[in-house]
């Protein structure tokens, strides 16, 4: 057997494969920020929305025990407003947009938006690692996170020749 085997790591973001080619300015992947340190929303993020004085517009609530999750198309469905695009926005910008749209129906809505859970991306780690396979990584997505998820290198791994 060859002593020097290559470690091949392929990052595949399932919902973005065809969509990125169609978008002229695709939004950064999760974990990215807007240059000011503000987190950029992306598909899979679960949001907690609290509209003060209107529990039926807040999530989670009595009838809906989870927050609202941004779908793979970058939108979420909100009561009375329908589909709202959230992908590529900061939490602050999304809260402002939601407040403006609710302001057309309700008088001066006061609301807060928080991230309950970050979305995950599926990655594949192959080659000289202890447990090659598919893994879900959330928020931080870099090479060391992927190698760590695969339980580290084997003794035969050529660590300087990683793709």
């Amino acid at each position: 057997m060859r002593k020097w085997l290559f470690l091949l790591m392929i990052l595949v973001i399932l919902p973005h494969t065809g969509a990125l080619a169609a978008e002229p300015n695709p939004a950064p992947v999760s974990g990215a920020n807007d240059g000011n340190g503000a987190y950029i929303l992306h598909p899979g993020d679960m949001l907690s929305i609290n509209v003060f004085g209107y529990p039926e517009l807040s999530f989670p609530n009595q009838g809906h025990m989870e927050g609202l999750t941004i779908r793979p198309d970058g939108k979420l469905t909100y009561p009375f407003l329908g589909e709202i695009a959230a992908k590529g926005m900061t939490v602050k910008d999304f809260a402002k947009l939601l407040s403006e749209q609710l302001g057309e129906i309700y008088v001066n809505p006061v609301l807060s938006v928080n991230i309950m859970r970050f979305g995950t991306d599926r990655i594949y780690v192959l080659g000289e690692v202890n447990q090659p396979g598919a893994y879900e990584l959330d928020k931080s997505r870099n090479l060391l996170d992927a190698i760590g998820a695969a339980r580290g290198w084997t003794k035969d791994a050529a660590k300087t020749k990683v793709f």
Side-chain angles (χ1 to χ4, degrees):
M1 270 191 134
R2 280 173 63 179
K3 282 259 187 190
W4 298 99
L5 294 176
F6 293 99
L7 172 66
L8 173 63
M9 183 176 115
I10 303 171
L11 293 174
V12 177
I13 302 172
L14 295 178
H16 302 296
T17 53
L20 287 178
E23 293 179 5
N25 293 318
V29 295
S30 168
N33 63 50
D34 67 349
N36 296 322
Y39 178 79
I40 301 290
L41 296 173
H42 84 286
D45 289 342
M46 182 182 290
L47 304 178
S48 165
I49 301 172
N50 186 13
V51 182
F52 300 101
Y54 298 98
E56 67 278 5
L57 297 175
S58 299
F59 294 92
N61 62 27
Q62 293 277 335
H64 194 277
M65 294 308 201
E66 291 192 352
L68 297 179
T69 303
I70 301 172
R71 298 187 313 248
D73 65 357
K75 299 177 182 177
L76 55 81
T77 303
Y78 195 82
F80 305 113
L81 299 179
E83 293 186 346
I84 301 174
K87 178 182 171 185
M89 300 179 82
T90 64
V91 175
K92 182 179 178 181
D93 291 339
F94 180 72
K96 182 179 177 184
L97 173 70
L98 191 57
S99 179
E100 290 170 357
Q101 290 187 5
L102 283 173
E104 296 175 9
I105 302 170
Y106 297 93
V107 178
N108 297 326
V110 177
L111 61 95
S112 66
V113 176
N114 291 299
I115 300 172
M116 289 179 66
R117 185 177 67 223
F118 293 103
T120 61
D121 283 329
R122 179 171 298 213
I123 60 137
Y124 298 91
V125 183
L126 305 171
E128 289 296 322
V129 291
N130 289 313
Q131 292 183 349
Y135 296 94
E136 296 280 333
L137 293 182
D138 59 336
K139 194 173 180 202
S140 128
R141 294 173 180 88
N142 60 40
L143 179 60
L144 290 179
D145 292 328
I147 300 302
R151 305 293 186 254
W153 315 95
T154 63
K155 64 181 176 110
D156 295 324
K159 298 174 185 110
T160 59
K161 300 187 181 202
V162 177
F163 297 94

